[in-house]
């Protein structure tokens, strides 16, 4: 068996990953089994750099707030602000504090400096403005969408005024109450004001869509320069992001107020639906790379045990795969040890244990050939003593397009 496994091993290079795929995918996801490990972030940076330089990828997205990520994109494309400001204000979940993410942003800015827009690498967050215990107020994105439309269209076309939105939104403290995650009665998501906001948000997005031909043109003049048109398209794409995020947040808040047994299933599904919408939008402007927790990229049904019982939903990767087919690819990262988190040498009868016995410290594995080499009876699933680490599921190896194995995270 060891000989067959050895036959599946390749060096960790962009070329080795691409050899596993039938063609260059429009969206290539690199899943990580644990957040914030500098070893994994450094490997991601090097692999993504190669994919940009050798395969022409032009967007890098990570599992962070899509709205905040616009600030990082402005920095890496035009030098707006400083690196410190981008890291402090352009990330959610504390990701801006990690050295690997800082080095990624630093490299993207250096890569883009002096290059024309068509050759620059864009940055994006693909998560909604959501934390595990709360969701943001829809104020920022909803008012940003309204302001974009109000600046460009006749006031009679808008379904409401900015003052109406402000009155319905009320205090942001009502929306971000952390107790609402455990107590639906604390949520304002099913109040009469929230219900009206959902209708208005839908109308604003519909107005954006109906005015697409006009809004994607730089000006009402018959001619416009290519640069002006590109700028108008970029602003329009941001307005679409505002619309997706505002409607998604209002829907999320609505289900936070739900008292049915399906509440957490709906919330998990809604978060991944928002992620999928952002990822699909990124592919419209060219091939994109994305990095985040592996559970958001898998094709099989996601499951989690929560205080309300088992939760099952389709991940962002499953939703995107259903839309893109072979134009979506998912490469999982597997780890041997994370000793500083209590994750020691894997048992030899697990997939990680078999890979840990290889001489390579890191390698690319063909998962389908690996599944064949392991035979009809999958190895035992590995169990983790640390909640922050998710081992490979041996029953779904063939559902991955590639595996990057790292022996030790230090």
């Amino acid at each position: 068996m060891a000989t067959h496994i050895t036959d599946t091993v390749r060096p960790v290079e962009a070329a080795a990953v691409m050899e596993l795929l039938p063609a260059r995918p429009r969206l290539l996801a690199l899943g990580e089994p644990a957040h914030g490990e500098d070893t994994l972030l450094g490997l991601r940076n090097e692999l993504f750099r190669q994919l940009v330089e050798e395969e022409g990828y032009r967007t890098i997205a990570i599992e962070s707030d899509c709205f905040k990520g616009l600030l990082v994109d402005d920095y890496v494309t035009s030098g707006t602000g400083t690196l410190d400001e981008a890291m402090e204000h352009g990330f959610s979940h504390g990701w801006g504090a990690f050295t690997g993410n800082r080095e990624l942003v630093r490299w993207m800015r250096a890569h883009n400096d002096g290059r024309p827009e068509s050759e620059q690498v864009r940055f994006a967050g693909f998560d909604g403005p959501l934390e595990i215990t709360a969701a943001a107020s829809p104020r920022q994105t909803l008012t940003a969408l309204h302001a974009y439309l109000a600046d460009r269209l006749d006031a009679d076309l808008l379904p409401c005024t900015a003052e109406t939105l402000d009155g319905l939104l009320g205090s942001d403290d009502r929306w971000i109450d952390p107790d609402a995650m455990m107590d639906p009665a604390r949520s304002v998501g099913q109040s009469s004001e929230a219900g009206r906001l959902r209708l208005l948000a839908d109308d604003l997005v519909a107005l954006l869509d109906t005015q697409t031909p006009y809004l994607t043109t730089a000006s009402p003049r018959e001619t416009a320069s290519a640069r002006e048109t590109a700028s108008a398209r970029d602003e329009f794409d941001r307005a679409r992001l505002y619309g997706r995020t505002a409607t998604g947040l209002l829907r999320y808040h609505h289900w936070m107020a739900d008292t049915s047994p399906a509440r957490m299933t709906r919330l998990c599904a809604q978060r991944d639906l928002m992620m999928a919408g952002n990822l699909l939008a990124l592919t419209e402007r060219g091939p994109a790379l994305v990095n985040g927790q592996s559970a958001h990229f898998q094709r099989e049904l996601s499951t989690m045990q929560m205080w309300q019982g088992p939760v099952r939903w389709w991940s962002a990767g499953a939703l995107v795969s259903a839309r893109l087919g072979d134009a979506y690819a998912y490469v999982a990262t597997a780890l041997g040890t994370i000793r500083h988190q209590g994750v020691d040498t894997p048992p030899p009868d697990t997939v990680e244990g078999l890979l840990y016995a290889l001489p390579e410290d890191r390698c690319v594995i063909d998962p389908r050939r690996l599944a064949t080499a392991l035979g009809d009876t999958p190895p035992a699933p590995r169990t983790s003593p640390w909640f922050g680490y998710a081992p490979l599921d041996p029953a779904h190896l063939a559902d991955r397009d590639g595996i990057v194995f790292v022996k030790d995270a230090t």
Side-chain angles (χ1 to χ4, degrees):
M1 181 178 291
T3 301
H4 295 301
I5 293 176
T6 303
D7 291 341
T8 72
V9 173
R10 300 289 185 274
V12 181
E13 297 173 348
V17 172
M18 300 307 291
E19 285 175 2
L20 300 176
L21 310 175
R24 184 185 71 173
R26 286 162 57 192
L27 184 67
L28 176 55
L30 178 66
E32 57 186 16
H35 279 314
E37 292 298 324
D38 279 335
T39 300
L40 299 187
L41 295 178
L43 182 146
R44 174 205 66 186
N45 292 352
E46 175 59 21
L47 189 58
F48 278 11
R49 181 188 65 78
Q50 292 180 24
L51 288 164
V52 166
E53 295 176 350
E54 299 172 18
E55 299 295 334
Y57 282 89
R58 289 292 178 264
T59 297
I60 293 176
I62 73 166
E63 187 186 331
S64 183
D65 184 331
C66 57
F67 191 73
K68 289 185 176 182
L70 297 175
L71 187 151
V72 183
D73 187 51
D74 285 340
Y75 172 72
V76 300
T77 55
S78 63
T80 302
T82 67
L83 177 60
D84 286 343
E85 291 170 344
M87 302 312 298
E88 181 178 357
H89 302 295
F91 290 83
S92 60
H93 304 87
W95 300 153
F98 290 108
T99 301
N101 289 335
R102 186 180 185 88
E103 290 307 309
L104 174 66
V105 174
R106 188 199 304 275
W107 172 79
M108 292 178 71
R109 177 66 201 125
H111 174 87
N112 289 339
D113 192 25
R115 292 178 185 265
E117 288 184 20
S118 61
E119 296 179 11
Q120 290 189 350
V121 183
R122 305 288 298 273
F123 179 90
F126 73 92
D127 200 355
L130 307 170
E131 298 288 349
I132 195 65
T133 57
S137 164
R139 175 182 299 279
Q140 277 190 299
T141 49
L142 192 55
T143 57
L145 174 61
H146 186 279
Y148 170 86
L149 293 169
D151 285 346
R152 291 161 177 80
L153 302 175
D154 292 338
D156 291 344
L157 291 175
L158 272 70
C160 65
T161 64
E163 290 73 22
T164 297
L165 288 182
D166 185 65
L168 291 171
L169 286 162
S171 169
D172 284 347
D173 290 341
R174 302 188 311 150
W175 296 94
I176 61 176
D177 182 355
D179 293 333
M181 179 55 73
M182 301 298 293
D183 182 4
R186 302 279 298 186
S187 172
V188 298
Q190 293 188 19
S191 64
S192 59
E193 294 89 351
R196 189 173 174 201
L197 283 169
R198 289 186 74 185
L199 291 174
L200 290 173
D202 184 70
D203 283 340
L204 288 168
V205 171
L207 179 59
L208 181 74
D209 290 341
T210 61
Q211 295 294 321
T212 297
Y214 172 73
L215 293 171
T216 52
T217 303
S219 72
R221 294 174 295 159
E222 292 185 3
T223 60
S225 70
R227 185 176 182 84
E228 287 174 324
T229 303
S231 176
R233 181 73 209 197
D234 197 50
E235 291 174 353
F236 177 77
D237 286 343
R238 289 195 173 198
R240 291 177 64 205
L241 173 63
Y242 303 152
R244 287 194 307 273
T245 308
T247 54
L249 278 173
L250 286 164
R251 191 180 303 116
Y252 193 90
H253 280 286
H254 176 87
W255 290 119
M256 284 186 74
D258 182 41
T259 58
S260 78
R263 177 176 182 263
M264 290 310 302
T265 295
R266 289 186 172 117
L267 290 177
C268 291
Q270 173 57 28
R271 182 186 180 195
D272 272 271
L273 179 63
M274 292 174 70
M275 290 181 172
N278 288 332
L279 292 173
L280 288 168
L282 293 177
T283 65
E284 294 177 10
R285 69 187 188 197
L289 303 167
V290 57
N291 174 239
Q293 219 285 337
S294 291
H296 293 303
F297 301 134
Q298 64 190 37
R299 292 182 174 92
E300 67 269 19
L301 197 65
S302 298
T303 61
M304 183 183 296
Q305 186 69 31
M306 304 191 78
W307 63 87
Q308 289 186 327
V311 176
R312 297 159 63 86
W313 76 100
W314 294 105
S315 74
L319 298 173
V320 170
S321 181
R323 292 279 296 274
L324 297 183
D326 287 343
Y328 171 71
Y330 164 41
V331 175
T333 305
L335 266 173
T337 72
I338 322 174
R339 298 191 194 279
H340 53 279
Q341 297 290 2
V343 181
D344 292 321
T345 303
D349 61 343
T350 63
V351 176
E352 286 87 354
L354 294 167
L355 297 178
Y356 197 80
L358 296 171
E360 291 82 4
D361 288 332
R362 54 185 64 186
C363 56
V364 170
I365 304 288
D366 183 336
R368 296 175 179 87
R369 293 183 65 189
L370 176 62
T372 300
L374 295 176
D376 296 333
T377 303
R382 186 184 189 185
T383 58
S384 171
W386 177 45
F387 74 93
Y389 163 64
L392 284 174
D393 184 345
H396 290 284
L397 290 180
D399 293 329
R400 281 80 177 123
D401 298 295
I403 296 173
V404 176
F405 179 70
V406 178
K407 183 167 284 189
D408 300 292
T410 58

